[in-house]
Amino acid sequence: MSRGQLQVQYTLFQNLLNRQIREQYLSSLGGLLWVLLLPMMLLAVYSFVFVEILKVKELPGFDATGFIPYLAVAFWPWFMFSDSLSKGCQSITSNRELIGKIALPRHILVFSDVSASFVLHLAGYLVILLLLQISGTTIHWVMLPVVLCLLLILFVFTAALALFVSATQVFIRDLAHMLTALLMLLFFTTPILYTLEQIPDQYRQWFELNPLHHVMTAIRECLLTGQWPQLSTMLIMTATAVLLLVAGWWYFNRLSTRFEDFL
Amino acid sequence: MTPLVTLSDVSKDYPRTTTRRDRLLGLLHTLTRSADRHVERVLDQISLVIEPGQSMAIIGENGAGKSTLLKLIAGVLHPTEGQIVCRGLVAAMLELGGGFHPEYSGIDNLKSAASLYGVSDEGIISLLPDIIQFSGLDEAELNQPVKTYSSGMQARLGFSLMTALKPDLLITDEVLSVGDESFQKKCITWIEDYLSSGGTLLMVSHSTYHIQKLCQSAMWLEQGKVLASGDAFVVCQAYHRQSLEQHGESLNSIDHRAIQLDQAIWDHQKCASLDDIQINETNVLRMSWPGQQRLEAGWRFRFRVYGTDGQLICCQNLNAEEQFRRAQDEPHVLRTHWSFSDLLPGHYTLDAVILDETDGLVSNLVDRSFRIPGRSRAFGSLRVAHQWRSE
């Protein structure tokens, strides 16, 4: 790919990103508020159920922080992941009109959708962290660059998965529905509402295979306890994400030659 | 000169997808690069070279694969077999409102559509005044969402963008037929300028007038195969003849003494319609039309007779000015006397058109095949007076 082409792709990407952000959030009633409001409502519901009804008291390792900050810190990264994956899944099918009329690199559509969700939820995340700080939780702001690195790994991981699902969605239209169920399953099997220590020993090794668990835990440890993530974990996560991206790229490009035929 | 576009043995299959199983198999076939047998071939082994500065039309019936071919060249579709090499900026108006978002205003759409062609933001801002001026849309209209636009307005917006992009290759698919007459003229003038300044054009059109005015060459597709390719006029004639034959309108036992000409093609707005056209028993082509249709100075009638193989046998011109400008407001009749007695038996085509001062087609009057019945021992088209004498 020449530099000129890269430049063109970058312009295109930027434009689609703007378009996406405007279309999904800024044009609707309430604007950017929705990015905050919807996750906050969910946060409130979960907190009510877990704190007031189920009376969750212990959070091994995070006893000092309390349930709401514990949940909130991992909740937004989860939204970045799940939201961009479900949007990314439809990136190709929902842009059918565009694909049929203009020659453009299709992967840009996926990347711009995923990026739009990440950017918006990142904005929401920063606001939430600020709110937590104001309400008395100690947020280790010095760790923010590390958290951003972790989120970058999450982004690569998500984009890779989005390449897989968006290409598959063109051929198998039921995937979007299946994905909703799968994301739900993943939400409850990732230590977001609970800690890994609470899982019975015989299941724990399976939970540790979940890459999301490592990202969420690392982010929590950074922000809430100021603890650096283990270098080996970081390296393994990065390698996994990059490998997955390469595989996703291959899969997507292989299938993209026949998108138009099946759209 | 390096060609702008080269297609070598390009074929395109569309999958026959009806069930989920077909789609799943399609996915597996694509992934493993194995041949999918559940397909329909829409283009078969097309080879084509487009040189810079060339203007080419693709003609054929609906479903012949014309649009698929354009989409392949525009890079929107990928060929199943064969290779496509394309250099330079290709701007394609494949359908109305290509790349436009119905909810966005005209202006916003222009901006985002331009970026889809790789134009930077600063670039768009500098291009915008020209685009708006060409489109002829006013500010209020441009701030309306595109979904409220008529198809003509969408065509205006789309074509105006193309004019600003100054592509190396311009591809249009039946878009000229949407705009109103004045905008069509504007587009045609623009395309002519674009071509004379070295631009390259590839178009699909059903309008013989547009093709003959804009294109040097033409390619005739039928069921995904190239049936004929070459000079635009010759290919159009051949195509036209076949489509007439298919409608069973000609060639069947038309006596040369009473050639029945049906309603003439009168596709230009300058004159409304021809109300009567016939050839009587004495081989007079009689055309009459109401007085309010004006024939401008410098226009002329052109009559041509062709042989079966497309060979020109005779071309006659008549200056419209002298004959008709005298009685401008009265109904007038044009009679041309034709004697076909020198034609040998066989099939022929008669076409009559009105041309303007720059040889642009104003109107197709007649385009009909006819048959001279009989037998002859001579070959060719014309009977030439001769004698045999042995000395």
Side-chain angles (χ1 to χ4, degrees):
Chain A
M1 212 183 296
S2 71
R3 227 180 121 198
Q5 268 178 307
L6 268 182
Q7 179 70 42
V8 167
Q9 293 209 4
Y10 180 69
T11 314
L12 235 170
F13 169 76
Q14 254 186 331
N15 226 284
L16 284 169
L17 182 63
N18 290 342
R19 182 166 161 166
Q20 197 63 30
I21 290 177
R22 234 176 10 154
E23 202 169 300
Q24 286 189 343
Y25 300 96
L26 303 190
S27 60
S28 63
L29 195 72
L32 197 59
L33 214 59
W34 278 111
V35 188
L36 267 178
L37 215 61
L38 204 68
M40 274 174 89
M41 271 161 56
L42 276 172
L43 181 68
V45 170
Y46 279 120
S47 305
F48 182 76
V49 171
F50 281 84
V51 180
E52 304 296 328
I53 301 178
L54 297 176
K55 312 266 187 228
V56 173
K57 292 229 174 55
E58 338 165 8
L59 283 169
F62 295 94
D63 288 330
T65 43
F67 186 78
I68 295 176
Y70 178 81
L71 177 58
V73 164
F75 216 32
W76 264 258
W78 166 260
F79 275 114
M80 291 178 200
F81 170 78
S82 66
D83 208 33
S84 21
L85 202 58
S86 40
K87 292 250 164 55
C89 181
Q90 314 259 17
S91 293
I92 301 300
T93 39
S94 64
N95 282 304
R96 179 185 309 157
E97 290 291 301
L98 209 58
I99 287 175
K101 284 168 190 163
I102 290 182
L104 78 175
R106 281 83 186 264
H107 55 86
I108 286 191
L109 294 168
V110 181
F111 287 141
S112 63
D113 277 357
V114 172
S115 307
S117 292
F118 259 80
V119 166
L120 286 159
H121 285 298
L122 187 65
Y125 196 32
L126 293 176
V127 174
I128 279 299
L129 290 180
L130 216 61
L131 284 177
L132 287 176
Q133 173 80 54
I134 292 167
S135 64
T137 313
T138 327
I139 301 290
H140 294 262
W141 292 99
V142 280
M143 298 303 283
L144 203 61
V146 185
V147 172
L148 289 179
C149 285
L150 287 163
L151 289 178
L152 185 68
I153 295 171
L154 183 65
F155 174 79
V156 174
F157 180 72
T158 314
L161 287 181
L163 284 176
F164 277 109
V165 290
S166 63
T168 312
Q169 168 73 12
V170 176
F171 295 85
I172 304 165
R173 293 297 164 87
D174 305 336
L175 185 71
H177 304 295
M178 285 193 270
L179 191 70
T180 315
L182 281 174
L183 281 173
M184 178 91 101
L185 186 74
L186 197 60
F187 176 75
F188 287 105
T189 50
T190 305
I192 295 171
L193 292 165
Y194 48 86
T195 69
L196 192 67
E197 282 73 20
Q198 288 169 306
I199 296 161
D201 287 340
Q202 69 262 40
Y203 304 123
R204 199 176 297 164
Q205 54 174 342
W206 297 108
F207 278 73
E208 288 203 41
L209 287 177
N210 178 357
L212 282 177
H213 145 67
H214 296 282
V215 181
M216 300 302 178
T217 309
I219 290 175
R220 261 183 192 138
E221 286 174 350
C222 282
L223 286 175
L224 296 177
T225 64
Q227 194 183 327
W228 276 79
Q230 278 186 317
L231 192 65
S232 58
T233 321
M234 287 276 272
L235 283 177
I236 291 170
M237 282 194 298
T238 313
T240 314
V242 170
L243 273 177
L244 206 63
L245 186 68
V246 172
W249 183 264
W250 176 85
Y251 182 83
F252 186 86
N253 282 329
R254 191 95 174 189
L255 292 185
S256 74
T257 54
R258 290 185 82 195
F259 280 173
E260 167 77 359
D261 300 355
F262 283 87
L263 277 173
Chain B
M1 213 176 341
T2 33
L4 207 58
V5 178
T6 314
L7 272 76
S8 19
D9 295 326
V10 168
S11 300
K12 179 70 191 170
D13 295 339
Y14 278 132
R16 291 199 187 98
T17 47
T18 39
T19 61
R20 286 174 191 194
R21 194 170 159 270
D22 290 342
R23 303 184 74 92
L24 188 64
L25 283 175
L27 174 94
L28 294 176
H29 282 303
T30 314
L31 212 55
T32 56
R33 294 246 168 99
S34 56
D36 196 342
R37 264 166 286 132
H38 208 59
V39 291
E40 192 173 339
R41 183 141 284 203
V42 281
L43 283 180
D44 197 13
Q45 305 270 313
I46 307 278
S47 292
L48 171 69
V49 173
I50 300 173
E51 305 278 356
Q54 201 180 338
S55 54
M56 184 185 241
I58 297 171
I59 55 174
E61 291 176 355
N62 293 337
K66 304 185 296 288
S67 297
T68 304
L69 184 62
L70 290 195
K71 283 185 170 185
L72 282 167
I73 295 171
V76 165
L77 276 180
H78 292 263
T80 310
E81 286 161 25
Q83 218 190 358
I84 299 174
V85 180
C86 202
R87 287 167 230 278
L89 177 66
V90 179
M93 271 190 85
L94 294 173
E95 275 156 73
L96 261 187
F100 289 154
H101 194 293
E103 299 288 336
Y104 288 1
S105 72
I107 284 278
D108 285 347
N109 263 304
L110 279 178
K111 287 181 185 162
S112 65
S115 84
L116 294 176
Y117 282 103
V119 182
S120 67
D121 286 348
E122 307 87 68
I124 295 162
I125 289 162
S126 67
L127 288 176
L128 221 43
D130 287 345
I131 299 177
I132 292 168
Q133 209 221 328
F134 193 93
S135 73
L137 298 169
D138 61 39
E139 204 172 317
E141 286 169 330
L142 282 165
N143 287 320
Q144 294 281 317
V146 165
K147 66 179 175 187
T148 66
Y149 282 28
S150 68
S151 56
M153 283 161 78
Q154 286 191 25
R156 277 165 179 264
L157 202 64
F159 197 87
S160 308
L161 177 65
M162 297 299 130
T163 63
L165 292 172
K166 296 193 179 65
D168 300 307
L169 173 64
L170 177 68
I171 295 177
T172 69
D173 189 352
E174 278 296 345
V175 274
L176 282 179
S177 52
V178 186
D180 59 27
E181 198 195 338
S182 69
F183 190 71
Q184 267 190 33
K185 264 191 177 158
K186 204 171 175 180
C187 292
I188 287 167
T189 312
W190 184 84
I191 293 178
E192 282 176 332
D193 288 348
Y194 163 79
L195 288 174
S196 63
S197 64
T200 313
L201 174 73
L202 187 63
M203 67 188 267
V204 162
S205 178
H206 289 290
S207 154
T208 320
Y209 168 65
H210 285 148
I211 293 173
Q212 295 191 0
K213 196 159 171 65
L214 296 171
C215 298
Q216 306 148 346
S217 56
M219 192 164 105
W220 175 9
L221 283 182
E222 195 173 88
Q223 294 180 341
K225 291 195 170 80
V226 180
L227 214 61
S229 156
D231 178 72
F233 182 79
V234 175
V235 176
C236 282
Q237 286 289 316
Y239 170 63
H240 213 65
R241 192 154 45 234
Q242 191 204 285
S243 55
L244 280 174
E245 278 172 34
Q246 278 180 347
H247 290 92
E249 285 175 12
S250 63
L251 288 180
N252 27 15
S253 69
I254 300 169
D255 190 274
H256 78 290
R257 299 211 150 266
I259 299 169
Q260 292 285 315
L261 294 165
D262 71 4
Q263 192 69 40
I265 306 152
W266 185 261
D267 68 357
H268 201 273
Q269 303 292 319
K270 282 174 186 164
C271 310
S273 81
L274 215 62
D275 60 14
D276 180 24
I277 181 162
Q278 56 186 286
I279 287 182
N280 68 12
E281 287 80 20
T282 52
N283 280 339
V284 174
L285 176 62
R286 179 180 175 277
M287 293 172 287
S288 67
W289 57 92
Q292 56 266 36
Q293 291 157 3
R294 295 180 69 88
L295 293 162
E296 307 290 342
W299 289 10
R300 63 195 166 86
F301 291 90
R302 187 187 66 193
F303 299 88
R304 292 187 296 198
V305 177
Y306 282 91
T308 324
D309 51 0
Q311 166 135 37
L312 181 65
I313 295 170
C314 172
C315 175
Q316 293 285 340
N317 286 291
L318 172 72
N319 231 325
E321 188 178 10
E322 294 158 22
Q323 300 291 325
F324 297 102
R325 281 172 66 80
R326 275 174 288 145
Q328 201 63 263
D329 295 324
E330 291 162 28
H332 32 235
V333 178
L334 170 66
R335 281 174 204 276
T336 56
H337 295 252
W338 292 87
S339 164
F340 295 125
S341 57
D342 285 337
L343 290 179
L344 290 171
H347 296 288
Y348 296 90
T349 309
L350 172 70
D351 84 352
V353 294
I354 298 178
L355 299 175
D356 67 20
E357 59 276 16
T358 62
D359 276 10
L361 191 65
V362 175
S363 171
N364 274 311
L365 301 176
V366 180
D367 189 353
R368 287 299 305 240
S369 303
F370 62 97
R371 188 172 69 101
I372 305 287
R375 285 164 182 274
S376 167
R377 297 174 73 178
F379 293 99
S381 311
L382 281 180
R383 213 185 298 277
V384 179
H386 64 284
Q387 283 186 318
W388 303 105
R389 192 161 57 194
S390 138
E391 282 184 339

